[in-house]
Amino acid sequence: MNKNKITICALFSCVFTSGLYAQNSSPYSYFGIGGFNNVDDARNISLGNTGIALEAPDYINSKNPASMTAITTRNVVFNVSGILKYNTISSNQGSDKRLNSNFTNFSAALRVSKKAFIGISMQPATSADYKISSTIPIEGTALEYPVTYEGSGGLSNWGISLAYKLNDNWSFGGKVKNNFGTIVRKETISTTSEVEISRSVRYTGFGYNLGTQYKKNFTDNFQLTLGGIVNFGSKLVSKREVSYTQNQDYTNTLTSDLSSKNSSLPLEMGAGFSILAKERYRMTFDFTQSNWDKVKNTETSEKYYRQYVYGLGFEILPGKKRFETISEAFTYRFGLNYDTGYYKINNAGIDKLEATVGLGIPLNKVNLNVGYGYGIHGLQKNVSIKENYHMLNISMNILDTWFKKKYID
């Protein structure tokens, strides 16, 4: 194993032994277990966040574990992804602008035999990062106290994926992951004295995913790929610690266990297709349904609803097999994604619409994917808080070959 491989392995060892939290900087991260981060590769995000039916010969497609079976000659792939996001949050009280960035995905996939594949990953699943100022009424009077709500932390997960190639057309995959992390919610009430109530909730729980892909070539110029996934609902075992601080000089801490039945992630099912024409033009479509209406949470009081997500992508591959300039090897991507959301505020659903473009740049043993997206969170007119954001997604896929036989000593 050369020095580059040793360095990569050391990096993954450090990542897998520590927590990883991405910051949303969104007021909507107040709800539930925080806002869900988009931890997919920049290629998936640029294609409207699709990928259930996308093959992955030179990158890691976290949408469907069965896609690992496309890894061919270079039998090891490493992935590092990150995001830069600029949010504009507006309400009837004014607007706020925030800039944040973080890593979103560390993963590796390895071909261990002709038909068997294995992968590992570390991802920040959710994050809470908000500060909201409001008032609460004083009982029996017309007066109000100022109150500030703050949140931080989130859930991460590490996982192991396995995939098996049944034949040239059909493949299956599965993933086991452990969700873990802490979310801290602070409530500061200013009266004649200042009282701070801090609730720290620690979560842990395992999740299980299954996926399949089926590929069929109808002619030399037309290929159809179908995909399906099931992410089984998982319980999150919770432990809460509550502390009360008055005038920053007195603290009382109470630790209590929460019932795991009231904290969970929903059952999610998805299907997608990918059409490749003339080996150059690809269209992708994904649909997923998450049964949030079956989930209850004790930390916040909102009611959950069934969530539907639709994604559409279009990709233009290079028109030549050999390139005189690097620009001739570029891959161009476009996408659109609509998310209905899974909760309501004042009877208004918090949906999201996102448009994306991207570029794939091959660099010897490295594939660089860059994507830009613009999104609106809270499309309905009666939503009190609207969030507009610009985001830049970058992922680097490192291709390598291990276990290669030496023919000359």
Side-chain angles (χ1 to χ4, degrees):
M1 188 179 291
N2 59 35
K3 291 183 179 179
N4 290 335
K5 295 174 184 176
I6 294 174
T7 301
I8 292 172
C9 290
L11 172 64
F12 272 85
S13 297
C14 293
V15 171
F16 276 86
T17 54
S18 62
L20 181 67
Y21 301 118
Q23 299 304 319
N24 254 333
S25 294
S26 169
Y28 293 119
S29 64
Y30 164 81
F31 299 101
I33 54 176
F36 281 81
N37 302 309
N38 196 330
V39 297
D40 296 308
D41 188 272
R43 182 192 181 200
N44 296 89
I45 298 173
S46 298
L47 291 172
N49 202 21
T50 61
I52 295 177
L54 267 180
E55 291 184 294
D58 54 6
Y59 88 111
I60 298 174
N61 178 12
S62 60
K63 288 286 186 183
N64 191 337
S67 65
M68 283 193 300
T69 59
I71 296 175
T72 54
T73 53
R74 289 173 175 170
N75 58 10
V76 181
V77 183
F78 296 95
N79 175 274
V80 181
S81 302
I83 186 173
L84 179 67
K85 195 171 184 180
Y86 180 73
N87 295 53
T88 301
I89 302 162
S90 57
S91 67
N92 54 7
Q93 296 182 349
S95 63
D96 185 24
K97 301 180 185 298
R98 303 179 186 181
L99 179 67
N100 59 90
S101 62
N102 210 324
F103 288 105
T104 56
N105 188 358
F106 293 91
S107 54
L110 170 67
R111 179 176 181 171
V112 295
S113 71
K114 186 177 180 180
K115 294 189 175 183
F117 304 78
I118 187 171
I120 57 175
S121 63
M122 175 73 174
Q123 300 169 328
T126 75
S127 61
D129 182 23
Y130 59 86
K131 186 173 183 179
I132 303 171
S133 298
S134 184
T135 58
I136 56 175
I138 304 174
E139 188 176 352
T141 72
L143 301 176
E144 294 182 329
Y145 285 139
V147 59
T148 302
Y149 303 94
E150 296 179 74
S152 61
L155 300 187
S156 299
N157 67 63
W158 64 264
I160 298 177
S161 302
L162 297 173
Y164 185 79
K165 190 173 184 179
L166 189 64
N167 53 45
D168 290 339
N169 302 102
W170 211 337
S171 60
F172 296 88
K175 183 176 182 179
V176 178
K177 60 184 178 181
N178 176 242
N179 299 287
F180 63 93
T182 300
I183 296 178
V184 178
R185 305 180 188 276
K186 292 183 180 180
E187 182 179 330
T188 304
I189 305 172
S190 299
T191 58
T192 53
S193 61
E194 188 173 86
V195 178
E196 180 184 282
I197 304 172
S198 179
R199 299 175 179 88
S200 176
V201 185
R202 211 161 49 244
Y203 295 96
T204 183
F206 282 91
Y208 309 92
N209 305 350
L210 292 176
T212 185
Q213 286 187 343
Y214 178 79
K215 179 178 66 175
K216 178 69 173 179
N217 293 315
F218 290 93
T219 66
D220 292 338
N221 295 321
F222 186 83
Q223 176 184 294
L224 173 66
T225 304
L226 303 176
I229 58 167
V230 177
N231 299 331
F232 296 97
S234 58
K235 293 182 179 180
L236 296 175
V237 178
S238 313
K239 190 172 184 179
R240 177 172 56 184
E241 182 178 283
V242 182
S243 63
Y244 303 88
T245 304
Q246 186 172 352
N247 290 333
Q248 298 183 353
D249 56 10
Y250 172 75
T251 301
N252 181 31
T253 301
L254 173 66
T255 302
S256 60
D257 290 329
L258 295 179
S259 171
S260 60
K261 293 182 179 179
N262 294 329
S263 299
S264 60
L265 294 174
L267 170 69
E268 179 183 275
M269 296 174 289
F273 69 83
S274 170
I275 297 173
L276 178 62
K278 298 182 180 180
E279 296 186 346
R280 193 177 180 200
Y281 304 101
R282 176 182 280 114
M283 186 184 73
T284 61
F285 176 79
D286 279 9
F287 168 75
T288 58
Q289 171 186 300
S290 300
N291 295 343
W292 281 100
D293 52 325
K294 306 296 183 181
V295 171
K296 296 181 180 179
N297 188 282
T298 58
E299 292 304 305
T300 52
S301 58
E302 72 280 357
K303 184 179 179 181
Y304 293 157
Y305 298 85
R306 189 160 296 189
Q307 179 185 28
Y308 302 97
V309 182
Y310 308 85
L312 179 66
F314 185 70
E315 186 173 50
I316 303 175
L317 303 172
K320 297 180 180 180
K321 298 297 182 181
R322 294 185 177 181
F323 316 109
E324 295 180 1
T325 62
I326 189 173
S327 61
E328 293 179 343
F330 287 172
T331 299
Y332 302 92
R333 302 178 180 118
F334 310 89
L336 195 65
N337 184 274
Y338 176 69
D339 182 349
T340 64
Y342 60 94
Y343 54 83
K344 294 182 180 181
I345 302 176
N346 296 328
N347 293 321
I350 309 301
D351 51 358
K352 181 172 68 174
L353 181 65
E354 185 177 279
T356 52
V357 295
L359 190 66
I361 307 171
L363 303 170
N364 194 10
K365 290 188 177 182
V366 175
N367 281 341
L368 180 65
N369 294 314
V370 181
Y372 164 79
Y374 175 75
I376 303 173
H377 206 170
L379 294 170
Q380 300 187 30
K381 293 182 179 180
N382 56 341
V383 172
S384 57
I385 299 176
K386 289 187 179 293
E387 179 183 0
N388 298 65
Y389 60 86
H390 301 266
M391 65 177 182
L392 179 66
N393 300 280
I394 300 176
S395 64
M396 184 171 61
N397 304 288
I398 304 167
L399 313 177
D400 205 354
T401 302
W402 290 6
F403 316 118
K404 189 174 181 180
K405 292 182 179 180
K406 290 185 178 180
Y407 295 97
I408 299 177
D409 291 329

